[in-house]
Amino acid sequence: MHPFLEKAQQLKQQLNWSLIFGVSFFLAVVIGLIEITNGVSHWLVENKDAQIKHLTVLGNPKYTDEKAITTAIKKADLSSFFELNVKHVQHLVQELPWVATVSVRKQWPDTIQVYVVEHQAVAHWNSDLLINQSGDAFEAKSDKLSATLPQLYGPEGSEKEAWVAFKQFDEMLKVNALTLSSLALSERFSWQLWLDNGVRLNLGRKDKAKRVQRFIDVYSRIEQRADAQIDAIDLRYDTGLAVSYKPMQEQQL
């Protein structure tokens, strides 16, 4: 046989084997995928009724006990591990008073993990609410709250502004060994401050920081009377201030 024809015949045989091998491999992959899919489907059908039996609470919540979290979660349908609505569980836990954020994760075969982050209360707001470190108001109660939390007052929706102002004034006063205990913002946006020694500062509506600094500059030189205590200091002037006193009780004298 001519060498050229012999080489062509060999090449044809090689191509046939390559084609056969390729088709066989493809069929094997397809059959394998079908078997795996059928196996997974059969396994899911057999385990579709796997129930949630265990709860793990993470995040070390201080004000929200595990019983309250469990009670909230039981409002959800826990009959099926696969059909459990994680977002619904998250929403139920999020409704608890002290919970700021929560994430929920399923862990095979019968456990859900709940990671809870609580509000960090930094002040009371209008006596019946609390403010967190972001300046957001929330409603919650606890006997574990610090007795030294400041009291803030103001119109609805002004809590962020009030908290930012409190932090600013508190920092200014602390540098000068004075402690701010309360702050009030009126409906007309006039500011008042109370120090822990009972002195009230009337700041008015403008130049608040400048007026606080003016008070700091002169407070040590204000006359301290033996028969009276400083009640309020009016700083609502372009320059200067006015001091009012309240008589001391006989037992205080």
Side-chain angles (χ1 to χ4, degrees):
M1 181 181 292
H2 193 278
F4 177 78
L5 294 176
E6 184 178 357
K7 187 173 182 180
Q9 184 69 23
Q10 292 176 353
L11 181 61
K12 182 178 179 181
Q13 291 177 352
Q14 290 176 358
L15 290 173
N16 287 339
W17 279 109
S18 297
L19 179 62
I20 293 172
F21 177 78
V23 171
S24 300
F25 179 75
F26 174 75
L27 291 175
V29 170
V30 171
I31 293 172
L33 290 174
I34 293 173
E35 290 296 325
I36 291 174
T37 302
N38 289 335
V40 170
S41 299
H42 180 69
W43 182 82
L44 289 174
V45 170
E46 286 186 342
N47 293 275
K48 68 181 181 64
D49 294 327
Q51 296 182 348
I52 300 296
K53 297 179 181 178
H54 302 286
L55 167 67
T56 302
V57 178
L58 306 173
N60 297 319
K62 179 180 179 181
Y63 301 104
T64 309
D65 59 31
E66 190 168 322
K67 183 179 179 180
I69 296 174
T70 302
T71 301
I73 291 176
K74 283 183 177 179
K75 296 177 183 178
D77 182 6
L78 306 178
S79 61
S80 173
F81 179 87
F82 294 102
E83 296 179 2
L84 176 67
N85 188 331
V86 172
K87 289 186 177 180
H88 180 49
V89 174
Q90 181 176 330
H91 175 72
L92 291 171
V93 179
Q94 186 87 47
E95 288 185 328
L96 295 173
W98 279 97
V99 176
T101 61
V102 59
S103 60
V104 179
R105 185 168 68 91
K106 294 189 286 187
Q107 186 177 39
W108 177 256
D110 56 6
T111 301
I112 55 174
Q113 292 182 338
V114 180
Y115 188 88
V116 174
V117 177
E118 292 184 311
H119 292 288
Q120 181 184 338
V122 294
H124 294 280
W125 178 245
N126 289 336
S127 299
D128 56 352
L129 298 176
L130 294 165
I131 294 179
N132 63 21
Q133 66 272 32
S134 299
D136 299 316
F138 66 100
E139 185 174 4
K141 298 183 183 300
S142 176
D143 55 4
K144 298 179 182 179
L145 283 171
S146 170
T148 60
L149 280 183
Q151 299 280 350
L152 274 61
Y153 303 89
E156 183 179 355
S158 63
E159 51 268 25
K160 284 184 182 291
E161 183 180 2
W163 174 238
V164 170
F166 181 90
K167 289 191 294 183
Q168 178 188 11
F169 300 148
D170 186 48
E171 189 65 31
M172 294 173 66
L173 292 163
K174 275 183 178 177
V175 173
N176 295 274
L178 296 167
T179 302
L180 181 60
S181 63
S182 185
L183 172 151
L185 176 60
S186 73
E187 294 287 346
R188 298 181 63 185
F189 292 92
S190 180
W191 296 84
Q192 288 187 324
L193 310 180
W194 282 263
L195 306 183
D196 65 343
N197 60 9
V199 175
R200 174 167 49 93
L201 307 181
N202 292 327
L203 303 181
R205 290 184 290 178
K206 61 180 182 179
D207 298 330
K208 303 182 296 294
K210 289 183 179 179
R211 291 174 179 179
V212 171
Q213 186 60 53
R214 187 194 309 164
F215 159 76
I216 292 171
D217 293 339
V218 303
Y219 182 61
S220 61
R221 300 197 297 272
I222 293 177
E223 181 183 1
Q224 302 292 330
R225 293 170 49 179
D227 62 337
Q229 291 178 320
I230 295 176
D231 179 29
I233 299 178
D234 193 343
L235 296 145
R236 295 173 295 178
Y237 303 95
D238 292 333
T239 59
L241 51 83
V243 181
S244 61
Y245 294 84
K246 58 183 176 181
M248 296 180 66
Q249 300 295 325
E250 183 177 349
Q251 58 268 30
Q252 291 176 302
L253 289 172

